[in-house]
Amino acid sequence: MTELNIEKCNLAAVDVGSNAARLLIKHVEIDIDGNKTVSKLLFLRIPLRLGMDVFAQGKISEERAHEFICTMKAYRQLMKAYQVSQYRACATSAMRDAKNGKKIIKKIAKDAHLRLEIISGDEESQIIYDNHLAMMPDEGCFLYVDVGGGSTEISFICDGERVYSHSFNVGTIRLLNGKVKKKDLLDMKSEIERVTLGHHDITIIGSGGNINKLYRLASKKEKLDFLPVETLRGLYEDLHKMSVEERMKVYSLKPDRADVIVPAAEIFLHVAASSKSEKISVPNLGLADGIINEMVSSL
């Protein structure tokens, strides 16, 4: 404790996804009464695109592995610069599928001095769901959907109780490379239809960089409290007609966003059709936020 009876620390989360690796650092203050105040210090995103290698070749190439290790070294140094006292680094779908994933993790531990763990789809879904739990009303039905490069995590919550949760191998990088199995997509759609059968007025809670960008694009014309599915469908149709270069020019998208934003919109439209949902809430929270919130809860 300091003289002001406030305990302070910095926490960090590393999220290594199929499309990008993210570093999030937050500052936490705990007063004498145990009240916690959390503020963001740094967010950094590097488009490593591990899924491009893994979903096409089954492993991460030497060149991309080198970029991966360099990124982890940089993240570790940034943690030191920000005096991070505790961190957790998690890898998801691409690293789950990579044949050389464990070998690269050992190399990262040796060269970058960073402990990276591969988490299951179920744990990924749990962390993200827990992160949004406090934001959900006690009444009503919500379909939580996190669309990543390699997988989509789905949870169904009714009247404050989670009744279903599953991770599907349906992701933007997989779709982009034609690596989503028809059965996996059909399974996702049929499972959503099954668990939402008989429920009405379901709100989708969307997570991931693509749905956040789609929401911001839709909000440029008018201020929206949520993203209507019809508006998303219109955006999808416009973007789908364009080349990646045209999307970059017309919508000011970065290259690594301009290609995956279309399959992301497609996945959300599949979910909306299967659940008969008409609107998507976009709270702008992801796996890295969930990892840090877990650490904050344990303080």
Side-chain angles (χ1 to χ4, degrees):
M1 287 289 185
T2 68
E3 292 181 0
L4 295 176
N5 290 316
I6 295 177
E7 186 178 353
K8 303 178 182 180
C9 66
N10 293 338
L11 305 176
V14 176
D15 166 17
V16 178
S18 302
N19 193 36
R22 303 164 186 85
L23 170 66
L24 178 64
I25 299 178
K26 290 188 177 183
H27 178 69
V28 184
E29 293 190 2
I30 308 173
D31 66 21
I32 193 170
D33 297 318
N35 300 310
K36 299 171 184 176
T37 303
V38 182
S39 56
K40 183 169 70 174
L41 294 179
L42 175 73
F43 177 74
L44 187 59
R45 176 183 179 275
I46 304 294
L48 288 176
R49 319 214 86 178
L50 300 180
M52 288 293 191
D53 284 350
V54 176
F55 305 139
Q57 307 163 24
K59 64 179 183 178
I60 298 168
S61 65
E62 288 187 14
E63 182 180 355
R64 211 177 298 263
H66 175 71
E67 294 172 358
F68 186 7
I69 294 166
C70 287
T71 299
M72 294 301 102
K73 284 181 179 179
Y75 284 2
R76 192 71 183 98
Q77 290 303 314
L78 282 166
M79 285 188 224
K80 290 179 180 178
Y82 277 85
Q83 298 180 320
V84 168
S85 58
Q86 184 182 350
Y87 77 89
R88 187 182 183 192
C90 298
T92 56
S93 184
M95 287 294 282
R96 285 196 289 266
D97 287 8
K99 295 175 183 176
N100 57 344
K102 291 182 179 178
K103 180 181 178 181
I104 292 174
I105 281 180
K106 289 180 181 179
K107 185 74 171 170
I108 288 170
K110 180 182 177 183
D111 294 358
H113 306 289
L114 184 140
R115 300 183 308 277
L116 179 64
E117 56 183 303
I118 300 174
I119 60 173
S120 67
D122 287 341
E123 184 175 2
E124 181 182 0
S125 178
Q126 182 69 52
I127 292 171
I128 299 170
Y129 165 74
D130 287 345
N131 190 35
H132 288 79
L133 187 60
M135 303 171 61
M136 293 181 185
D138 292 332
E139 296 182 358
C141 293
F142 302 87
L143 198 62
Y144 174 77
V145 183
D146 179 67
V147 174
S151 62
T152 293
E153 275 63 53
I154 292 178
S155 294
F156 187 48
I157 301 97
C158 276
D159 298 330
E161 181 181 354
R162 184 172 63 163
V163 295
Y164 176 84
S165 184
H166 193 70
S167 176
F168 297 91
N169 282 338
V170 178
T172 59
I173 298 289
R174 287 188 198 267
L175 272 176
L176 204 59
N177 287 281
K179 297 300 179 181
V180 170
K181 296 177 181 177
K182 187 176 181 180
K183 181 181 182 302
D184 288 339
L185 182 58
L186 289 174
D187 283 350
M188 185 181 80
K189 292 163 68 175
S190 63
E191 278 289 276
I192 293 170
E193 289 175 3
R194 181 184 66 80
V195 300
T196 60
L197 185 66
H199 297 280
H200 306 284
D201 299 322
I202 297 168
T203 297
I204 294 172
I205 298 176
S207 177
N210 289 298
I211 195 64
N212 278 284
K213 188 62 179 179
L214 287 161
Y215 170 70
R216 288 196 295 272
L217 290 177
S219 296
K220 281 186 175 181
K221 296 180 181 179
E222 58 178 315
K223 181 64 178 175
L224 299 172
D225 294 326
F226 56 84
L227 178 59
V229 170
E230 278 303 309
T231 301
L232 175 62
R233 186 173 290 110
L235 262 176
Y236 168 75
E237 289 172 357
D238 286 345
L239 289 162
H240 190 262
K241 295 172 186 174
M242 300 178 182
S243 66
V244 171
E245 290 74 21
E246 288 172 331
R247 294 172 202 159
M248 290 168 61
K249 183 178 180 180
V250 175
Y251 289 99
S252 300
L253 299 175
K254 295 179 180 178
D256 62 290
R257 182 68 70 201
D259 56 357
V260 294
I261 199 167
V262 169
E266 184 180 339
I267 293 170
F268 274 102
L269 289 172
H270 281 311
V271 172
S274 300
S275 60
K276 296 180 172 60
S277 301
E278 297 180 356
K279 61 183 180 180
I280 304 171
S281 175
V282 188
N284 194 21
L285 294 171
L287 179 62
D289 296 277
I291 292 169
I292 286 186
N293 283 351
E294 280 192 341
M295 290 188 282
V296 171
S297 298
S298 66
L299 294 176

